[in-house]
Amino acid sequence: MTGVMQKCSKVFLQAAVLNRPISIAYLCTVSPKDQYEQMVKKNKVVVFMKGVPEQPMCGFSNAVVQIFRMHGVTNYDAHNVLADESIRQGIKEFTNWPTIPQIFIGGEFVGGCDILLQMHKNGELIEELQKVGIQSALLEQEKKEE
């Protein structure tokens, strides 16, 4: 919100009585690109998906949720693109990536379900999560088994 506020200009509305400001309105001029940049940097992991983690509405979104669960990643921002067509189209334009879900780690676009699955299989996902300070539950499980 602070980023948005910095880009907004204050407009004071004066009250007729006592000539004191009674309300502040903000005229925001934040571009769609800036909005998406703020959204993807709001949390360490951000997912634009069909449905919500508790109820994914497509197999690919469900696969992303399950991969993150295996790694113990449950605290992430999930945006349901089915609830807002402008977000569904806007994120595709922002990333120049045609499909949903879309995953961001540390504010960087990772890709879709296929790429996340590949990263999970080859161990890259553990490394990417570590870069943003998230310890994969799979690492902890390996240590217990040793």
Side-chain angles (χ1 to χ4, degrees):
M1 186 71 170
T2 14
V4 173
M5 297 302 250
Q6 291 169 352
K7 295 178 184 193
C8 297
S9 56
K10 293 181 183 179
V11 177
F12 291 93
L13 302 176
Q14 299 289 329
V17 182
L18 302 175
N19 198 24
R20 292 189 183 166
I22 59 166
S23 178
I24 300 173
Y26 294 94
L27 297 177
C28 297
T29 56
V30 179
S31 72
K33 182 182 178 201
D34 289 340
Q35 287 177 325
Y36 287 103
E37 283 180 8
Q38 290 172 8
M39 289 171 83
V40 302
K41 292 178 181 176
K42 193 171 183 180
N43 201 333
K44 293 177 182 181
V45 176
V46 177
V47 179
F48 290 83
M49 62 184 287
K50 292 179 181 176
V52 294
E54 298 78 23
Q55 189 174 6
M57 299 299 285
C58 84
F60 298 113
S61 293
N62 185 46
V64 167
V65 170
Q66 296 308 319
I67 291 168
F68 280 132
R69 280 191 187 144
M70 282 190 281
H71 287 269
V73 179
T74 56
N75 183 25
Y76 57 92
D77 285 354
H79 299 278
N80 181 1
V81 300
L82 297 177
D84 189 336
E85 185 63 27
S86 66
I87 290 178
R88 184 179 189 165
Q89 292 308 316
I91 195 62
K92 291 177 183 182
E93 292 170 13
F94 177 71
T95 59
N96 198 27
W97 191 264
T99 59
I100 301 292
Q102 295 192 11
I103 300 102
F104 294 80
I105 298 176
E108 298 295 320
F109 179 54
V110 172
C113 175
D114 54 341
I115 292 174
L116 190 71
L117 181 58
Q118 180 182 8
M119 290 173 68
H120 166 68
K121 287 179 178 179
N122 67 21
E124 282 181 59
L125 183 55
I126 291 172
E127 295 171 18
E128 289 302 310
L129 292 172
Q130 283 178 327
K131 287 179 187 177
V132 296
I134 298 174
Q135 179 78 16
S136 171
L138 295 180
L139 275 181
E140 293 171 15
Q141 187 178 9
E142 280 181 14
K143 289 178 185 175
K144 288 178 185 178
E145 291 174 0
E146 289 178 359

